[in-house]
């Protein structure tokens, strides 16, 4: 048990030991106006048994996915996670390892990153992938800066079907740079090609597309990419990696940079992180790619080995030459994604995508049969859709939470235009019985 001074004599003894005569002298460098004047009112110290009991009681207040049915989406999804993933990533050689500063000594870590990069390239149809980034939002923002550096142009076009939080991160990134954002309004849940044509110019560095977008709808990626290329701009697509089990890969559509949130690839929702930023691009852009890239080589004895091929980070080169100030990668989350993709394989990933597609469409059709409920957009969607509701989505969410159902996301949080709209996500984990229960509870309301 640590020593806790409870008497004035004990406190004076501690102050004397550290070389000051009073507590005021100890904090003399802290300005008077920001000092706490009241007592801290800390609770009495607890034993280990008492702390465990308290923390358990606090944890049980949380509404978790072990006891609730989740139709939440908007960037974080309740997908099935094979048990083998946690078993492998919990091994001490993976779990405790950090950034490989003496990279070539960390052959195991480098190999796992190399395998991750290879799988991401195969999944997206791109030439090269980096070792991962913090999350989908930061990866997208970094892609915008990369397009700006490559084209030397001053404007980025953002479709308003992009996740609102991603838009905010992007705004933060471009603040202070000679770089502006131009928003394109949507039509029936997707990009208006007519509006895009009007907005493209010789100033456009890139067009940012989310596919499937924030509303779950599928954007005309190939058509948008072709329009961007006509003006010398780059095409940047933010993907849901699960959707690539069914949809045409971005590489096949001629996209220049692919980013995305990798949480769906075997990573728990975990109250919002840590997550995984996917980042891949065409070969000609590789020297402007942020982060680090692992490559395979052979040593002097002819044995295969792995090296950090590119490290355009401010820690390794002059700051003004760095492509990004992101100085690390999400190696453990990337390993989880690597294991997930390896275990699922092409057929497994396709099956997961098919189940998401079928179950979400069944849920949408059943919900639209309820009087007063209707599908907001008629554009094709993957695993998320927007449903218009006759009463406040907030009330629906609160009512169903009492039934241990997370009904979806109230889109009124983001825009008054969608104050009667509920964003619903249906993954492969949702059963027909769970979907029917959601519909039944909505009918009661």
């Amino acid at each position: 048990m640590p020593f806790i001074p409870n008497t004035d004599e004990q406190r004076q003894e501690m102050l004397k030991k550290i070389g000051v005569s009073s507590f005021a002298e100890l904090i003399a460098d802290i300005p008077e106006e920001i000092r706490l004047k009241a007592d801290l009112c800390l609770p009495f110290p607890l034993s280990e048994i008492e702390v465990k009991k308290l923390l358990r009681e606090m944890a049980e207040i949380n509404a978790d996915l072990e006891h609730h049915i989740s139709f939440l989406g908007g960037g974080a999804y309740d997908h099935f996670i094979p048990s083998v993933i946690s078993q492998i990533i919990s091994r001490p050689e993976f779990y405790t390892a950090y950034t490989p500063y003496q990279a070539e000594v960390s052959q195991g870590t480098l190999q796992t990153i190399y395998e991750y990069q290879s799988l991401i390239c195969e999944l997206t149809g791109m030439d090269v992938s980096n070792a991962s980034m913090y999350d989908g939002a930061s990866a997208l923002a970094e892609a915008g800066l990369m397009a700006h550096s490559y084209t030397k142009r001053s404007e980025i076009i953002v479709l308003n079907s992009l996740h609102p939080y991603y838009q905010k991160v992007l705004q933060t990134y471009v603040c202070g740079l000679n770089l502006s954002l131009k928003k394109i309004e949507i039509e029936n849940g997707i990009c208006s090609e007519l509006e895009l044509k009007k907005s493209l110019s010789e100033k456009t560095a890139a067009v940012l597309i989310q596919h499937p977008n924030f509303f779950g709808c599928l954007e005309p990626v190939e058509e948008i990419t072709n329009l961007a290329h006509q003006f010398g701009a780059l095409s940047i697509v933010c993907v849901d990696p699960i959707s690539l089990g069914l949809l045409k890969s971005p590489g096949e559509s001629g996209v220049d940079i692919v980013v995305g949130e990798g949480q769906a690839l075997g990573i728990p929702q975990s109250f919002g992180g840590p997550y995984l930023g996917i980042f891949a691009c065409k070969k000609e852009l590789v020297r402007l790619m942020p982060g680090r890239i692992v490559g395979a080589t052979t040593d002097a004895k002819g044995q295969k080995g792995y090296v950090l091929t590119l490290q355009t980070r401010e820690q390794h080169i002059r700051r003004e030459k760095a492509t990004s100030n992101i100085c690390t990668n999400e190696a453990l989350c990337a390993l989880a994604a690597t294991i997930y993709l390896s275990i699922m394989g092409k057929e497994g990933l396709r099956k997961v995508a098919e189940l998401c597609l079928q179950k979400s469409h069944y849920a949408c059709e059943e919900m639209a049969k309820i009087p007063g409920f209707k599908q907001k957009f008629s554009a094709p969607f993957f695993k998320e859709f927007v449903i218009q509701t006759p009463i406040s989505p907030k009330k629906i969410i609160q009512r169903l939470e009492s039934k241990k159902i997370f009904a979806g996301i109230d889109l009124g949080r983001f825009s008054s235009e969608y104050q009667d709209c509920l964003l619903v996500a249906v993954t492969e984990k949702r059963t027909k019985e769970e979907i029917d229960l959601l519909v039944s509870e909505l009918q009661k309301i």
Side-chain angles (χ1 to χ4, degrees):
M1 194 76 176
F3 170 69
I4 300 170
N6 289 320
T7 66
D8 289 339
E9 291 79 8
Q10 289 172 332
R11 294 189 188 98
Q12 287 301 320
E13 184 64 26
M14 283 191 69
L15 290 168
K16 185 179 178 182
K17 288 282 186 183
I18 59 177
V20 293
S21 59
S22 67
F23 182 70
E25 186 183 345
L26 180 65
I27 61 170
D29 293 331
I30 300 174
E32 182 70 30
E33 60 270 19
I34 66 169
R35 293 185 196 177
L36 178 68
K37 303 299 190 295
D39 291 334
L40 282 175
C41 298
L42 295 175
F44 195 77
L46 299 177
S47 66
E48 182 180 344
I49 295 172
E50 291 169 319
V51 168
K52 282 186 175 180
K53 182 175 182 292
L54 176 63
L55 292 176
R56 193 180 303 113
E57 289 170 354
M58 292 171 69
E60 287 170 358
I61 297 171
N62 294 325
D64 62 77
L65 298 185
E66 295 294 322
H67 302 92
H68 288 64
I69 302 167
S70 177
F71 293 94
L72 294 170
Y77 304 94
D78 182 27
H79 282 289
F80 171 67
I81 301 175
S83 299
V84 67
I85 293 177
S86 63
Q87 291 298 314
I88 294 176
I89 67 171
S90 297
R91 291 177 60 92
E93 58 266 40
F94 295 131
Y95 213 53
T96 60
Y98 182 56
T99 300
Y101 284 110
Q102 293 176 307
E104 284 60 53
V105 177
S106 310
Q107 284 295 296
T109 301
L110 292 180
Q111 183 178 353
T112 63
I113 294 173
Y114 181 82
E115 300 296 349
Y116 162 79
Q117 293 172 180
S118 302
L119 287 166
I120 294 301
C121 287
E122 190 171 347
L123 186 66
T124 60
M126 303 307 287
D127 298 325
V128 60
S129 163
N130 72 7
S132 76
M133 308 206 77
Y134 292 146
D135 53 26
S138 60
L140 181 73
E142 291 284 349
L145 296 191
M146 183 172 163
H148 170 58
S149 298
Y150 181 76
T151 63
K152 310 300 181 188
R153 296 180 176 183
S154 60
E155 186 176 85
I156 293 175
I157 290 180
V158 180
L159 306 188
N160 213 21
S161 54
L162 178 67
H163 197 305
Y165 291 165
Y166 287 24
Q167 292 189 40
K168 287 182 180 295
V169 172
L170 187 62
Q171 286 165 0
T172 301
Y173 263 68
V174 304
C175 181
L177 298 175
N178 183 28
L179 185 57
S180 60
L181 303 179
K182 180 187 280 188
K183 283 190 185 180
I184 300 293
E185 292 307 316
I186 60 172
E187 208 172 84
N188 190 30
I190 60 173
C191 170
S192 167
E193 290 184 48
L194 181 62
E195 288 299 312
L196 179 59
K197 282 180 185 176
K198 291 178 184 176
S199 300
L200 282 162
S201 71
E202 300 303 318
K203 296 191 299 181
T204 308
V207 179
L208 301 190
I209 314 156
Q210 187 172 3
H211 174 69
N213 65 30
F214 178 61
F215 305 110
C217 300
L218 303 181
E219 296 280 1
V221 173
E222 197 159 345
E223 291 82 350
I224 295 171
T225 297
N226 290 337
L227 281 172
H229 288 169
Q230 286 173 24
F231 286 83
L234 300 186
S235 168
I236 302 172
V237 175
C238 181
V239 299
D240 174 349
I242 296 295
S243 73
L244 298 179
L246 283 182
L247 301 179
K248 193 174 184 178
S249 76
E252 293 175 282
S253 297
V255 172
D256 300 290
I257 305 172
V258 179
V259 297
E261 176 51 68
Q263 179 271 328
L265 303 176
I267 299 167
Q269 289 177 282
S270 300
F271 296 96
Y275 286 170
L276 171 68
I278 294 169
F279 198 115
C281 68
K282 289 181 176 178
K283 190 176 181 179
E284 55 264 33
L285 301 173
V286 68
R287 288 196 171 274
L288 293 172
M289 183 181 272
R292 52 163 66 113
I293 301 169
V294 173
T297 187
T298 51
D299 64 14
K301 296 179 181 178
Q303 298 173 316
K304 188 172 185 178
Y306 300 92
V307 295
L308 280 178
T309 306
L310 281 178
Q311 302 180 83
T312 52
R313 318 179 325 140
E314 62 179 18
Q315 286 185 342
H316 292 98
I317 61 178
R318 284 180 295 170
R319 179 169 292 183
E320 65 272 16
K321 296 288 185 181
T323 58
S324 167
N325 64 358
I326 287 184
C327 292
T328 188
N329 63 290
E330 296 283 0
L332 194 66
C333 293
L335 176 59
T338 304
I339 300 164
Y340 179 89
L341 290 169
S342 302
I343 291 168
M344 302 303 287
K346 290 182 180 179
E347 292 304 316
L349 191 65
R350 183 179 293 118
K351 186 63 178 175
V352 171
E354 285 173 351
L355 288 171
C356 290
L357 182 74
Q358 293 162 4
K359 292 182 178 187
S360 60
H361 280 73
Y362 171 74
C364 184
E365 289 165 10
E366 292 301 305
M367 290 172 74
K369 291 176 184 177
I370 305 170
F373 286 74
K374 65 176 182 178
Q375 187 179 347
K376 174 71 173 174
F377 306 117
S378 60
F381 65 89
F382 173 54
K383 68 181 181 190
E384 282 177 283
F385 56 91
V386 178
I387 202 90
Q388 279 187 285
T389 62
I391 61 172
S392 164
K394 187 177 180 180
K395 288 182 180 178
I396 291 173
I397 291 167
Q398 290 172 342
R399 185 83 63 88
L400 267 65
E401 193 174 341
S402 67
K403 303 288 183 179
K404 295 194 172 183
I405 299 172
F406 297 137
I409 296 173
D410 176 8
L411 292 184
R413 291 166 45 190
F414 305 105
S415 170
S416 58
E417 181 184 352
Y418 302 112
Q419 60 187 351
D420 61 344
C421 293
L422 186 68
L423 180 65
V424 181
V426 185
T427 70
E428 81 283 7
K429 280 183 68 176
R430 300 286 70 83
T431 64
K432 182 178 182 296
E433 291 73 23
E434 289 173 340
I435 296 169
D436 290 343
L437 177 61
L438 169 67
V439 173
S440 172
E441 292 297 335
L442 289 173
Q443 286 171 335
K444 292 175 186 177
I445 294 174

